[in-house]
Amino acid sequence: MEVVSCSHSCSALHQTPRSAWRLRGGGLGLGHAKSTRPRRSAILCVGTTRGASIPGDSNKVQATQGFVDAALQGIPSRKAGEIEKVMIQGLPEGTDSSPISTGFWEWKPKLTVYYERSGTENSKAPAVLFLPGFGVGTFHYEKQLRDLGRDHKVWTMDFLGQGMSLPCEDPAPSSIAGDQSEDSFWGFGQDSQPWAEKLAYSVDLWQNQVQHFVEEVIREPVYIVGNSLGGFVALYFAASCPHLVKGVTLLNATPFWGFFPNPATSPRLSKIFPWAGTFPLPSFVRKLTEAVWQKISDPRSIHDILKQVYADHSTNVDKVFSRIVEITQHPAAAASFASIMFAPRGQISFQEAIYRCQSQGVPISLMYGREDPWVRPIWGIKVKQQVPEAPYYEISPAGHCPHDEVPEVINYLLRGWLKNLESEGSIDLPFLEDPSYAEHGVSRELEFVREGSRKSVSVRLYGSKISLWSQLSSFLNTRASNSRVVSR
């Protein structure tokens, strides 16, 4: 276990030239000019069809003779409604995976951040920072660290007030000089400790935490990836510090966070509310928290939530379940939950953050599970409409946490997106080997092997032209998918 204390600032960070981020062709992808390479209409599919084998693929992906004729005519050889199947890599196992190291970073007195990293020996590779959703932590990105860490510098951390970044001392003890029982909640006292007087677990705090972590620990601009709440914070951070961000990927990002007005943007309105998530908790909040916490921290409730947000119920979530239960048993967990729920909204909205990223040239990509019961695909489509050049991949079956449910697919798409940006568009985005797909979109069946069995996942890349029917179709398909248990 590595303990790191960083008090210095690294302000002279390399800034990626925005002039290098110009749109390619149909708007998806980055580069200096539209590609002049011949249009490739032949479609590769997995199988044993007759034709020329493609070297370097262990599954002997083959192209049929019909593809040659189609290429001459400039049209794909697929039949109407036929979806191409593509075999992708599974997750590495054993010694093939990248090792993970852990550390603690003391940002401020008594505010210590837990983080994990992998692949830091890849000195010339880009750095990627993953931000977790609400109620989980670094453990939710283990599959990304062990896989992507083989060829990237990969980081993740727990937000303050969550995971292993919960406080090590009681922020508001019942009696500062007295003893407390082992079963008592932290933060339920009458007076806060000096270090916790203005502490509130808000998105503003987390955005500031991410900024200093990148400046003081990673020390270079990052590609930032966030799921759910982590997606909101990732976008907020990118909009606030574009010089520290090379690109943002949203994984079913929540489009809003916080119920109460922000004192900085709505000073008069915020005065109406007597408490803004700081310590100590008011007496009425303590009573409410005790009642609510008893219900939501019950292992049966946690099990039911996981069953709801994972579309494929064959996915093994035992480790995620046990880690969440472990977090709820921390004495500071209940008070931290109350602080998060009553903390004010961020200073800028999700939509404003998107606008700022777009105007400041920060690339955005979207990878959403279609069967998410909370952040439905319509929210991803709305971002796509606001930023037409952003690639939007809709994955099925996959729920609210596609990075953990179908990590093979997310890792494949992320690698492709990173290669596209790092090559300034000379390497195509996944699915965009045919330029026409940038406008009209395309669907693929991605196949991979997991624990000895072949799995298949549908992925749809939306084009820059999204019709009202596409939105309605996605919404109806999501409702239909959520009405049944998916098991493959």
Side-chain angles (χ1 to χ4, degrees):
M1 185 72 72
E2 177 186 2
V3 180
V4 178
S5 178
C6 300
S7 59
H8 59 280
S9 176
C10 182
S11 59
L13 293 174
H14 169 70
Q15 299 186 18
T16 303
R18 298 294 171 191
S19 60
W21 291 348
R22 293 202 291 270
L23 300 181
R24 293 182 63 245
L28 284 170
L30 304 168
H32 297 290
K34 185 175 180 180
S35 173
T36 59
R37 289 170 295 173
R39 177 175 176 179
R40 293 174 292 175
S41 300
I43 297 178
L44 303 180
C45 61
V46 177
T48 57
T49 51
R50 181 173 55 89
S53 62
I54 307 302
D57 193 299
S58 60
N59 292 282
K60 295 184 178 180
V61 180
Q62 297 183 329
T64 64
Q65 182 63 37
F67 290 157
V68 177
D69 298 332
L72 293 175
Q73 299 178 23
I75 59 172
S77 65
R78 290 178 300 167
K79 297 179 180 178
E82 183 180 345
I83 297 178
E84 175 191 347
K85 294 184 178 181
V86 178
M87 194 73 183
I88 64 174
Q89 289 185 345
L91 295 178
E93 298 179 355
T95 57
D96 291 334
S97 62
S98 179
I100 299 173
S101 60
T102 64
F104 285 96
W105 165 60
E106 186 178 7
W107 176 26
K108 298 178 180 180
K110 310 298 182 180
L111 297 181
T112 301
V113 175
Y114 174 79
Y115 67 90
E116 296 183 358
R117 61 186 181 183
S118 182
T120 50
E121 69 279 1
N122 302 318
S123 58
K124 296 183 179 180
V128 186
L129 174 61
F130 289 87
L131 300 181
F134 175 62
V136 290
T138 57
F139 58 87
H140 219 199
Y141 286 117
E142 179 182 348
K143 297 166 185 175
Q144 280 67 48
L145 268 69
R146 294 199 179 280
D147 184 5
L148 297 177
R150 296 183 297 169
D151 43 26
H152 297 83
K153 297 190 290 284
V154 185
W155 304 75
T156 184
M157 65 174 168
D158 289 346
F159 290 129
L160 287 168
Q162 301 190 57
M164 292 182 66
S165 292
L166 284 161
C168 297
E169 295 183 18
D170 192 338
S174 297
S175 176
I176 295 178
D179 295 328
Q180 292 180 294
S181 67
E182 293 183 358
D183 297 330
S184 63
F185 290 132
W186 286 6
F188 279 43
Q190 300 297 324
D191 300 296
S192 63
Q193 297 278 31
W195 59 270
E197 286 181 352
K198 297 182 179 181
L199 177 63
Y201 295 123
S202 66
V203 288
D204 284 332
L205 174 73
W206 295 326
Q207 189 280 136
N208 200 237
Q209 171 189 338
V210 174
Q211 175 186 344
H212 285 269
F213 186 80
V214 172
E215 290 178 337
E216 300 173 20
V217 180
I218 300 180
R219 302 188 186 183
E220 64 176 294
V222 299
Y223 290 100
I224 193 160
V225 184
N227 170 238
S228 190
L229 167 62
F232 187 102
V233 177
L235 195 68
Y236 190 179
F237 166 62
S240 304
C241 305
H243 61 288
L244 298 177
V245 179
K246 301 174 73 175
V248 183
T249 297
L250 304 180
L251 308 173
N252 291 73
T254 179
F256 37 77
W257 190 262
F259 302 102
F260 302 99
N262 190 291
T265 56
S266 305
R268 293 184 179 179
L269 188 59
S270 63
K271 291 180 181 179
I272 300 176
F273 301 92
W275 186 59
T278 55
F279 293 92
L281 277 63
S283 58
F284 79 93
V285 174
R286 293 198 296 268
K287 294 177 181 178
L288 177 63
T289 301
E290 287 179 356
V292 173
W293 187 250
Q294 184 177 5
K295 172 63 177 177
I296 65 174
S297 63
D298 188 314
R300 291 170 295 183
S301 298
I302 296 172
H303 176 270
D304 290 343
I305 291 174
L306 290 177
K307 187 176 180 180
Q308 183 182 13
V309 298
Y310 281 75
D312 185 349
H313 293 169
S314 69
T315 305
N316 188 340
V317 296
D318 291 346
K319 187 172 183 179
V320 174
F321 171 78
S322 62
R323 292 298 300 274
I324 294 175
V325 171
E326 181 183 347
I327 292 170
T328 62
Q329 296 171 349
H330 192 287
S336 297
F337 168 77
S339 175
I340 292 170
M341 291 295 100
F342 283 87
R345 295 190 292 264
Q347 294 187 30
I348 63 175
S349 67
F350 188 78
Q351 288 70 26
E352 175 64 20
I354 293 173
Y355 171 77
R356 291 191 185 186
C357 286
Q358 187 179 27
S359 62
Q360 295 172 130
V362 178
I364 297 175
S365 68
L366 307 143
M367 303 173 190
Y368 280 52
R370 196 181 75 178
E371 285 76 28
D372 187 347
W374 296 347
V375 183
R376 297 185 181 275
I378 188 65
W379 292 106
I381 292 176
K382 287 174 70 68
V383 178
K384 173 68 176 176
Q385 289 178 320
Q386 190 171 346
V387 190
E389 66 271 17
Y392 171 51
Y393 298 92
E394 193 174 276
I395 307 164
S396 179
H400 188 60
C401 311
H403 59 286
D404 189 56
E405 189 169 4
V406 282
E408 299 88 351
V409 174
I410 293 298
N411 294 356
Y412 167 78
L413 296 176
L414 272 175
R415 272 196 174 93
W417 188 64
L418 294 173
K419 288 179 180 178
N420 174 263
L421 292 182
E422 288 293 298
S423 68
E424 297 183 347
S426 63
I427 298 177
D428 289 324
L429 280 165
F431 299 7
L432 281 185
E433 65 280 350
D434 187 318
S436 66
Y437 297 154
E439 183 175 343
H440 302 290
V442 65
S443 295
R444 298 277 165 82
E445 284 282 334
L446 298 187
E447 296 187 341
F448 52 89
V449 176
R450 181 191 296 174
E451 297 178 349
S453 300
R454 177 167 291 194
K455 304 276 287 184
S456 179
V457 174
S458 298
V459 181
R460 178 181 180 184
L461 171 66
Y462 279 74
S464 56
K465 291 187 176 181
I466 301 179
S467 64
L468 178 63
W469 169 249
S470 295
Q471 300 179 48
L472 181 62
S473 176
S474 177
F475 176 74
L476 294 176
N477 288 336
T478 301
R479 291 181 63 88
S481 298
N482 287 336
S483 66
R484 66 178 185 271
V485 176
V486 180
S487 181
R488 293 191 179 185

